[in-house]
Amino acid sequence: MFQFFINAEGGLTAAGYAVTILAAILFTVAAIILAGKESTRKKLSIKQLAYCSMALALSFITSYIKIFELPFGGSVTAFSMLFIVLIAYWYGPKVGILLGFVFGILQFLQEPYVLSFFQVCCDYLLAFAALGLAGIFRKQKNGLVKGYLVAVIARGAFHVLGGYLYWMDYMPENFPKELSIAYPFIYNYSFLLAEALITIILLSIPAVKKAFAQIQQNALS
């Protein structure tokens, strides 16, 4: 049954793509419905639909934009995680986790590789869903920055778990042998924390901070 959706190279068959796209649509609808229920004013649901859709589209587009790549693998994107984190920060962790889950499905469609179902969960579904944990800090001072950092660390934890379980054999030959046991940590957190640092610097710029505050006010008004 599993082979019906996965080809011999570990990619998706036509049926696999169809099922994955259907799942992305269903989870997107679920995130939108939940966003509407999170609001006490039903008329905001259309606005929330627009913001969720735009955030998902921006995350997907910017995930293709690589600012730079690191020597042992991994690349820093143009703030692709930030847009999911913003939705979680505005509308709560439930909406953020669902939207992150959909983003994970889109990432899987972008470059699918399957070793097992749990590997797909670690590398795509659970990892990107973890970005929604940023919503836990929505009512705290500097909650966006705190939430973003926790979200990035949580995403990395799933990647690291998948790294130890499935990817140790793919370690580059030029990787220092004395650090081989830490390869999944170094590989994943090097690019995740590098992007986090750049994003936090961006969020600390007064003009950017003011702009995001205005966008947030409009998103919640």
Side-chain angles (χ1 to χ4, degrees):
M1 181 67 178
F2 195 62
Q3 288 74 21
F4 182 69
F5 302 103
I6 308 300
N7 60 37
E9 290 74 34
L12 293 177
T13 63
Y17 273 109
V19 170
T20 306
I21 292 171
L22 178 61
I25 293 172
L26 292 176
F27 278 105
T28 301
V29 172
I32 292 166
I33 292 173
L34 185 58
K37 289 184 177 180
E38 288 288 315
S39 173
T40 56
R41 297 170 64 187
K42 296 295 183 180
K43 67 179 182 180
L44 293 182
S45 61
I46 296 178
K47 179 184 287 187
Q48 290 171 333
L49 162 62
Y51 274 100
C52 288
S53 300
M54 285 190 293
L56 189 60
L58 287 170
S59 290
F60 188 65
I61 292 170
T62 54
S63 70
Y64 282 94
I65 304 173
K66 315 294 185 183
I67 299 177
F68 59 87
E69 295 186 359
L70 296 175
F72 295 114
S75 58
V76 176
T77 68
F79 314 106
S80 62
M81 294 184 289
L82 177 60
F83 302 104
I84 303 298
V85 167
L86 284 172
I87 292 298
Y89 184 65
W90 293 339
Y91 300 137
K94 293 180 181 179
V95 177
I97 288 171
L98 268 176
L99 202 66
F101 191 89
V102 176
F103 183 42
I105 294 175
L106 293 178
Q107 289 291 295
F108 178 61
L109 287 169
Q110 180 179 349
E111 193 174 354
Y113 193 83
V114 181
L115 296 175
S116 75
F117 176 73
F118 189 64
Q119 170 262 323
V120 172
C121 289
C122 287
D123 289 345
Y124 303 98
L125 306 182
L126 297 179
F128 289 99
L131 296 175
L133 295 177
I136 297 173
F137 299 88
R138 61 190 300 211
K139 295 182 180 180
Q140 294 188 17
K141 184 179 180 181
N142 297 319
L144 179 57
V145 172
K146 292 178 182 177
Y148 183 86
L149 284 174
V150 169
V152 170
I153 292 171
R155 174 190 164 183
F158 285 109
H159 287 316
V160 168
L161 176 60
Y164 277 116
L165 292 176
Y166 300 103
W167 299 108
M168 290 298 287
D169 291 339
Y170 294 83
M171 183 171 54
E173 293 183 0
N174 62 337
F175 192 82
K177 300 302 181 184
E178 62 274 13
L179 297 176
S180 59
I181 190 64
Y183 172 66
F185 280 95
I186 295 172
Y187 172 84
N188 290 290
Y189 279 114
S190 59
F191 69 87
L192 287 175
L193 293 179
E195 184 169 329
L197 177 61
I198 295 173
T199 303
I200 290 173
I201 292 173
L202 175 71
L203 294 174
S204 300
I205 299 174
V208 175
K209 186 183 297 186
K210 182 178 179 180
F212 274 118
Q214 292 175 340
I215 295 172
Q216 178 179 344
Q217 184 178 7
N218 184 58
L220 299 176
S221 63

